[in-house]
Amino acid sequence: MQQLQLEQQRLQLQQSTDRELQRQLEFEKQQAELYRKRHSEPPQSKNKAKNPN
């Protein structure tokens, strides 16, 4: 009986770990997308209105 309980706890821990890893991967994917968007657009100059050249 104790062996069954330990196995159930192990499975719950593994599932929890898998969910946390999935959330972390999703977060990193979103961060990479934001980074690409920010760094793929040409920089906009704030001085354009002051200096048209």
Side-chain angles (χ1 to χ4, degrees):
M1 191 60 120
Q2 187 178 7
Q3 187 72 19
L4 181 59
Q5 289 175 338
L6 288 174
E7 183 61 22
Q8 288 173 340
Q9 288 176 346
R10 188 193 69 74
L11 287 173
Q12 289 173 345
L13 181 59
Q14 183 64 51
Q15 290 171 344
S16 177
T17 302
D18 290 347
R19 285 191 301 270
E20 185 58 35
L21 285 171
Q22 190 62 40
R23 282 192 289 267
Q24 183 67 30
L25 288 172
E26 192 59 37
F27 175 78
E28 290 178 11
K29 179 181 172 184
Q30 291 170 354
Q31 293 300 307
E33 283 295 318
L34 289 172
Y35 181 86
R36 274 195 290 276
K37 284 181 183 179
R38 282 190 206 131
H39 295 280
S40 65
E41 297 173 359
Q44 297 177 356
S45 176
K46 293 181 180 180
N47 296 329
K48 213 175 207 181
K50 294 180 182 177
N51 186 4
N53 294 339

